[in-house]
């Protein structure tokens, strides 16, 4: 609204939509601003064309907020579904938001579809030639593209036949995310690589990329001396995962802590190319922090993030900088100082655009009293090297190279308080092992925060996804190695979830 006002577009837009005789498609905020106002950022006035105000989802319902992921639509009238929406059939669509409008008699003539999340909310509006969606058609895969194509073609009637997406459990789907760790190899080419416990180089005696035996190795290629493992080209792999049904794709620039001029960041070109071929959400991480070009030009973290958003990222993921911000948060009596990348990006782009990536390593302790960090009693009879039963998870920075005196749960809690909308929870001990997600870690973090948590590291078979969704509150699970090496297909993961009654998106 601020930007529209500054550009003196408010009245023109209001008149255009109010006339209702020319095509308009509002997406997400483009739906929200048609209402009277929103309580976001302390209160914002809207265009006032539709009765109602945007309010935050009700936290008391105990569901993670933001509402992120693929959910169902319920059409308000079965007989009179607007042609654009009828193209969706019963396929799920992608939402990402913390604020929503609810249906009321005053706005009933506008409401075309609702959805369920902590209660019923408005998912789509339609009247005359005006359509608006709370979901993102541009991120809703083939289903969303059908809507956009219909809008561009001005199609009022003929809608493509839509195949029903099976009788699987409905509601917000648990997400399956494919992750691409990207870096330059020694020849200077950008490749997707994959580490074992963050070591991405082949051991010099072997060229295989099989799992490690779980022994601890230094991170980011400092342990082995061979070539950087090359598992493919970033854009081609992302396109493959989109076609195979990934619910999201994440790119991590794993050498993002090294200095590169902002304009030359190779990931910007990757994102631009990927967003022409991939129509599910894209997250980018690595190097989201204040940066200084070699010529001394300084860029705030917000400017760095803005460059990624403009190039096609939907979310940015902050690693090392979040750890430093969390340490300042605790030193400052659990208060933000308004300067961190999390706070500034969240304020400008919304919490749903800010992911905090956690890179923890397990530290075994003899008893909870032997550390000031919060500990967990490890389940399944696992023990540390000296028979320890307790552990905490030490946060690291710079791709696991340096540890800090901060536990993963503490980081996640601070990140939420500072304005992050999601936690990407890696685990250095499990990375690349194929031994399954660290359930104790995922359980501890996902039960400590009210934002969605993505479990990451260690997936080795479809059953590991079922296990982490059943045993913890996580909203999504991410894998890399098994997908890159074709050991497990995304469809197999979703099949296992569906068989177990876990809601999952198909088609
Ligand atoms: O600190 O903000 O510049 O961000 C750096 C980012 O790069 C962080 O998100 C950090 O997790 C990531 N990163 C840094 N070094 C490595 C490395 O591997 N040497 N990769 C790295 C992290 C971990 C996962 C991986 C899962 C799943 N990769 O994302 O994809 O563990 O793997 P699996 O299914 O094969 O087990 P900053």
């Amino acid at each position: 609204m601020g930007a529209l006002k500054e550009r003196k577009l408010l009245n023109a837009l209001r008149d255009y939509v109010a006339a209702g005789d020319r095509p308009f498609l509002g997406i997400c905020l483009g739906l929200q601003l048609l209402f009277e106002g929103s309580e976001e950022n302390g209160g914002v006035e809207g265009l006032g064309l539709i009765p109602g105000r945007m309010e935050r989802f009700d936290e008391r319902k105990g569901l993670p907020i933001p509402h992120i992921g693929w959910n169902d639509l319920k059409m308000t009238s079965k007989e009179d579904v607007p042609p654009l929406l009828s193209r969706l059939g019963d396929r799920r669509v992608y939402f990402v938001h913390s604020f929503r409008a609810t249906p009321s008699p005053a706005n009933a003539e506008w409401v075309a579809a609702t959805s369920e999340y902590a209660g019923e909310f408005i998912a789509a509006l339609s009247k005359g030639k005006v359509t608006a969606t709370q979901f993102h058609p541009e991120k809703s895969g083939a289903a969303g593209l059908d809507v956009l194509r219909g809008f561009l073609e001005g199609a009022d009637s003929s809608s493509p036949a839509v195949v029903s997406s099976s009788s699987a459990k409905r509601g917000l789907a648990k997400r399956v995310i494919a992750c691409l760790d990207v870096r330059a190899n020694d020849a200077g080419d950008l490749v997707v690589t994959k580490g074992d416990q963050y070591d991405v180089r082949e051991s010099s005696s072997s060229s295989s990329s099989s799992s490690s035996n779980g022994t601890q190795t230094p991170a980011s290629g400092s342990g082995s001396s061979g070539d950087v493992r090359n598992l493919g080209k970033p854009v081609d792999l992302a396109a493959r995962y989109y076609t195979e049904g990934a619910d999201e794709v994440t790119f991590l620039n794993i050498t993002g802590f090294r200095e590169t001029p902002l304009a030359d960041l190779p990931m910007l070109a990757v994102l631009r190319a990927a967003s022409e071929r991939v129509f599910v959400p894209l997250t980018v991480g690595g190097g989201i922090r204040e940066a200084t070009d070699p010529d001394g030009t300084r860029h705030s973290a917000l400017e760095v993030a803005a460059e990624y958003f403009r190039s096609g990222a939907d979310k940015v993921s902050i690693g090392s900088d979040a750890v430093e911000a969390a340490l300042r948060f605790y030193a400052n009596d659990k208060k933000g100082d308004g300067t961190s990348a999390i706070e500034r990006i969240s304020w400008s782009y919304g919490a749903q655009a800010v992911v905090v990536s956690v890179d923890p390593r397990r530290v075994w302790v003899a008893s909870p009293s032997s550390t000031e960090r919060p500990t967990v009693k490890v389940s399944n009879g696992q023990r540390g090297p000296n028979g320890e039963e307790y552990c905490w998870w030490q946060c690291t920075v710079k791709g696991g190279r340096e540890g800090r005196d901060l536990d993963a749960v503490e980081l996640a809690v601070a990140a939420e308080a500072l304005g992050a909308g999601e936690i990407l929870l890696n685990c250095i001990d499990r990375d690349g092992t194929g031994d399954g997600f660290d359930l104790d870690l995922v359980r501890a973090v996902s039960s400590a925060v009210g934002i969605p948590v993505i479990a990451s590291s260690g997936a080795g078979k479809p059953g590991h996804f079922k296990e982490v969704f059943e045993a913890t509150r996580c909203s999504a699970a991410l894998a890399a190695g098994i997908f890159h090496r074709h050991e497990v297909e995304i469809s197999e993961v979703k099949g296992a979830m569906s068989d177990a009654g876990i809601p999952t998106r198909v088609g």
Side-chain angles (χ1 to χ4, degrees):
M1 285 301 289
L4 290 171
K5 199 171 193 170
E6 202 180 291
R7 285 165 214 193
K8 302 196 170 27
L9 289 171
L10 277 184
N11 288 338
L13 184 59
R14 190 183 283 113
D15 293 347
Y16 183 102
V17 179
D21 55 354
R22 281 178 291 171
F24 174 91
L25 176 60
I27 296 176
C28 191
L29 288 177
L31 171 143
Q32 299 195 357
L33 56 74
L34 301 179
F35 285 85
E36 290 163 301
S38 168
E39 65 176 22
E40 189 164 7
N41 282 3
V44 183
E45 287 313 300
L47 291 175
L49 292 164
I50 301 179
R53 294 188 78 77
M54 311 303 305
E55 288 168 351
R56 197 174 145 80
F57 280 106
D58 188 350
E59 283 168 14
R60 291 165 306 181
K61 300 278 163 80
L63 294 174
I65 302 171
H67 170 226
I68 300 183
W70 300 77
N71 208 337
D72 295 313
L73 295 181
K74 193 171 92 197
M75 301 298 165
T76 40
S77 152
K78 284 226 163 22
E79 303 74 47
D80 200 15
V81 179
L84 277 187
L85 299 181
S86 72
R87 296 177 159 242
L88 291 168
D90 65 356
R91 291 175 292 182
R92 285 185 173 91
V93 288
Y94 185 79
F95 292 88
V96 53
H97 58 132
S98 305
F99 296 82
R100 89 286 184 252
T102 45
S104 71
N107 57 35
E109 58 172 334
W110 282 91
V111 181
T114 60
S115 190
E116 282 289 330
Y117 193 71
E120 188 180 25
F121 69 90
I122 297 175
L125 303 167
S126 173
K127 195 172 151 189
K129 287 192 181 297
V130 174
T131 305
T133 64
Q134 180 59 70
F135 59 89
H136 287 261
E138 81 286 10
K139 294 289 158 186
S140 295
L145 293 183
D146 283 341
V147 172
L148 293 178
R149 208 170 285 120
F151 178 72
L152 292 173
E153 290 166 358
D156 281 339
S157 52
S158 66
S159 52
V162 168
V163 184
S164 162
S165 59
S166 89
S167 57
K169 190 155 177 216
R170 309 304 301 185
L172 182 67
K174 297 284 184 181
R175 288 168 283 151
V176 176
I177 301 177
C179 182
L180 294 86
D181 289 354
V182 179
R183 61 163 286 171
N185 64 12
D186 297 323
D189 301 321
L190 217 52
V191 297
V192 174
T193 189
K194 185 66 214 65
D196 288 333
Q197 297 170 316
Y198 284 32
D199 184 356
V200 299
R201 287 185 186 270
E202 307 284 11
S203 59
S204 37
S205 56
S206 137
S207 60
S208 115
S209 58
S210 62
S211 303
S212 86
N213 61 7
T215 52
Q216 188 143 324
T217 54
S220 289
S222 53
S224 312
S225 53
D227 295 336
V228 169
R229 287 191 190 126
N230 180 349
L231 291 156
K233 293 183 181 171
V235 179
D236 289 346
L237 263 187
R240 181 188 129 201
Y241 294 138
Y242 167 63
T243 313
E244 291 176 358
D247 296 317
E248 288 183 32
V249 174
T250 295
F251 292 105
L252 295 177
N253 172 10
I254 67 168
T255 49
F257 54 87
R258 296 179 189 155
E259 299 295 342
T260 317
L262 182 59
D264 296 346
L265 280 179
M267 287 295 272
L268 295 175
V270 167
L271 276 171
R272 280 194 285 268
S275 50
E276 287 179 13
R277 294 168 65 186
V278 177
F279 301 99
V280 294
L282 297 174
T283 301
V284 67
I288 310 289
R289 62 187 156 84
E290 187 179 290
T292 307
D293 288 350
D295 70 0
T297 314
R298 284 164 67 90
H299 303 282
S300 68
L302 182 60
E303 286 172 305
V304 173
E307 205 58 50
Y308 282 116
F309 290 132
R310 273 195 289 275
S311 301
D314 299 284
K315 309 185 231 181
V316 291
S317 164
I318 306 174
S320 307
D321 196 78
V323 175
E324 310 300 354
L327 289 169
R328 291 201 301 278
F329 171 85
Y330 287 109
N332 192 23
D333 223 6
K334 299 195 182 170
K335 283 200 287 286
D337 56 14
T339 64
S340 68
I342 303 176
E343 288 160 285
R344 298 207 49 208
I345 301 169
S346 178
W347 174 263
S348 298
Y349 287 90
Q352 83 297 329
V354 182
V355 183
V356 163
S357 165
V358 186
D359 297 303
R361 182 179 274 130
R362 183 186 295 231
V363 180
W364 291 99
V365 287
S367 74
S369 59
S370 46
T371 173
E372 287 181 13
R373 306 274 65 84
T375 56
V376 163
K377 186 166 185 194
V378 178
S379 65
N380 287 340
Q382 296 174 80
R383 293 287 179 273
N386 301 308
E388 295 94 335
E389 289 181 72
Y390 295 88
C391 78
W392 61 285
W393 287 274
Q394 182 183 32
C395 294
T396 65
V397 297
K398 301 184 181 175
R401 289 167 181 237
E402 295 173 22
R404 292 288 184 270
D405 202 12
L406 185 73
D407 171 75
V409 174
E410 293 173 309
L411 171 55
V413 168
E416 178 179 16
L418 291 171
E422 198 168 27
I423 301 291
L424 164 52
L425 183 58
N426 301 298
C427 175
I428 298 181
D429 313 272
R430 293 295 174 100
D431 176 54
T433 62
D435 291 343
F437 299 96
D438 187 331
L439 299 181
D440 288 327
L441 171 64
V442 181
R443 201 181 286 116
V445 172
S446 63
S447 58
V449 294
I451 53 180
V453 171
I454 302 165
S456 163
S457 304
K461 56 183 184 184
H464 288 149
F465 290 80
K466 166 181 167 328
E467 188 176 72
V468 77
F469 287 129
E470 286 178 345
T472 78
R473 283 188 81 231
C474 75
S475 302
L478 171 152
I482 52 168
F483 295 151
H484 300 338
R485 295 188 298 266
H486 284 285
E487 288 164 11
V488 173
E489 301 300 327
I490 293 170
S491 57
E492 291 177 69
V493 172
K494 294 197 164 185
M497 288 167 60
S498 193
D499 290 348
I502 298 166
T504 180
R505 174 184 73 110
V506 276

